[in-house]
Amino acid sequence: MLVFIVRRLAASILVLLAATFLTFLLVDLTGDPLQMLRLQTPPPSPETIETARHALYLDRSVPERYWLWLTGIGDTNGDIGLLRGKWGPSLAGAEIGPELGERFFVTLRLVIAALLISFAAAVITGVVSAVRQYRMIDHVLTLIAFIGLAMPSFWIASLVKESGTWVNDRVGSTVLFTFGAASPNIEEMSPIYQFNDIVAHLVLPTLALVFHGYASISRFQRASMLEVLNADYVRLARAKGLRNRVVMRRHALRTALIPIVTLGALATAGALAGAVITETVFRWRGLGTFLVEAVNDKDVYAVMAVVLLTGMILIVFNLIADLLYGVLDPRIRMGSR
């Protein structure tokens, strides 16, 4: 298993390097990062523009800048080099690292909460749908899943937000938070109230993010469970007189979970993409809004920081999925030796 993990990590690092270089190239092709500076009134002097170009390393080729961003070797300004803990200069003038760290944990708690709830709800409802195939509960759960698949993420988030506002208006008090990741005065609260405040702000955005992810995973779970229930070894277990609960737990569910586990990385990517939309609707200051602002400003080093972080998140979740795959199916562990 250790060899398997090392091989997976090595392959993931190569993919991450290729993805970051491609992103670097694409951001460079989107236009001139100094365009806003050139459009200022009165126009800046050529010396000012040249100084800004040098400060952002724009006077070097893309491969040179990527190498500098990665290693810092050849740096003349002392502010770039990922291996030295330098994220590079930002067009906004602020340091990328502290801003990125704050926003990273805001997005991470939203994505983790959404993934945990999505998978738990999808596995339960997928199993129920398969066991009760073509009955009323199956039709109802199928209809809910299809609605989730058909509705765009932005519409779902807007609908959930409006529903929260409607509830607050009817109650006459803010029981569901529809704006921000925490209250402005959270620093003045005790730790227990800070925790409660963060969880309360998490409810509606998580619900919006869960709905779309749950819909697709539950359909996979239902199809996987139906295939297993019709397998010969499950029918043999029933023919031996084993109770249905034992057959489901020991023989059917474990096998049916294997295809679902492989969806872990895809579901994480979907949750990260959905987080960009959800954060925009609920006006969270997370990685999603950070990326949107950076792309709009053509702030290449800020964009690279987000790409690197999200890539690392995908690698970690993909590795966890591979490990769970090995736990559920011992043949995977045998094959990795």
Side-chain angles (χ1 to χ4, degrees):
M1 183 60 80
L2 181 61
V3 176
F4 172 74
I5 294 174
V6 171
R7 277 199 308 222
R8 292 288 299 154
L9 280 176
S12 299
I13 290 171
L14 290 177
V15 171
L16 192 58
L17 287 174
T20 52
F21 180 75
L22 185 62
T23 304
F24 212 100
L25 187 61
L26 290 175
V27 173
D28 183 74
L29 292 174
T30 57
D32 183 9
L34 297 179
Q35 184 180 8
M36 295 302 296
L37 177 63
R38 298 179 196 277
L39 295 177
Q40 284 182 355
T41 305
S45 65
E47 291 77 15
T48 301
I49 293 177
E50 190 57 35
T51 301
R53 278 173 52 81
H54 178 72
L56 294 172
Y57 303 94
L58 297 176
D59 51 353
R60 306 195 186 200
S61 65
V62 171
E64 280 183 288
R65 271 188 283 151
Y66 180 76
W67 175 255
L68 277 173
W69 173 77
L70 189 63
T71 66
I73 298 174
D75 170 28
T76 55
N77 299 333
D79 58 355
I80 196 169
L82 196 61
L83 297 180
R84 300 188 307 179
K86 305 285 187 181
W87 293 93
S90 171
L91 278 175
E95 286 191 37
I96 294 176
E99 181 78 9
L100 193 67
E102 181 184 339
R103 298 201 184 204
F104 170 72
F105 288 106
V106 169
T107 298
L108 190 63
R109 66 185 180 227
L110 174 61
V111 169
I112 288 179
L115 285 175
L116 290 177
I117 297 174
S118 295
F119 271 93
V123 169
I124 293 172
T125 56
V127 170
V128 171
S129 283
V131 174
R132 303 292 181 186
Q133 187 182 19
Y134 301 138
R135 296 184 183 180
M136 180 59 73
I137 185 66
D138 181 30
H139 292 310
V140 171
L141 293 174
T142 299
L143 177 63
I144 294 173
F146 282 162
I147 291 174
L149 289 172
M151 293 174 67
S153 301
F154 182 80
W155 192 21
I156 293 176
S158 300
L159 203 61
V160 170
K161 183 177 181 179
E162 290 302 319
S163 301
T165 304
W166 183 85
V167 170
N168 291 337
D169 291 341
R170 292 296 178 276
V171 174
S173 175
T174 304
V175 294
L176 294 170
F177 292 93
T178 59
F179 172 79
S183 298
N185 62 337
I186 190 170
E187 298 296 334
E188 303 168 6
M189 299 178 183
S190 63
I192 184 67
Y193 278 98
Q194 286 184 354
F195 177 78
N196 291 338
D197 185 77
I198 290 173
V199 172
H201 281 80
L202 199 57
V203 173
L204 291 183
T206 302
L207 183 62
L209 200 54
V210 159
F211 197 46
H212 195 72
Y214 150 79
S216 56
I217 300 171
S218 68
R219 301 313 296 164
F220 276 103
Q221 179 64 52
R222 180 182 182 276
S224 176
M225 197 69 187
L226 283 174
E227 183 178 350
V228 172
L229 289 177
N230 292 319
D232 291 339
Y233 68 93
V234 172
R235 284 187 291 195
L236 177 62
R238 283 175 172 157
K240 287 181 177 179
L242 291 178
R243 289 184 298 176
N244 190 54
R245 181 178 299 178
V246 175
V247 173
M248 295 291 293
R249 189 179 67 249
R250 291 186 182 176
H251 300 282
L253 184 57
R254 181 167 180 160
T255 306
L257 282 175
I258 294 174
I260 303 304
V261 169
T262 59
L263 290 175
L266 291 176
T268 305
L272 286 169
V276 176
I277 297 170
T278 306
E279 288 175 1
T280 303
V281 172
F282 287 91
R283 302 177 71 179
W284 277 37
R285 287 179 57 79
L287 276 185
T289 50
F290 184 81
L291 177 62
V292 171
E293 293 165 4
V295 170
N296 287 336
D297 296 338
K298 299 180 180 61
D299 197 343
V300 59
Y301 303 112
V303 173
M304 294 303 299
V306 177
V307 170
L308 183 69
L309 269 184
T310 52
M312 291 173 67
I313 292 173
L314 288 176
I315 287 173
V316 170
F317 277 81
N318 202 16
L319 187 60
I320 292 173
D322 286 342
L323 294 177
L324 287 176
Y325 198 56
V327 171
L328 292 171
D329 189 349
R331 293 172 300 176
I332 302 299
R333 296 198 299 271
M334 294 295 292
S336 64
R337 291 176 183 173

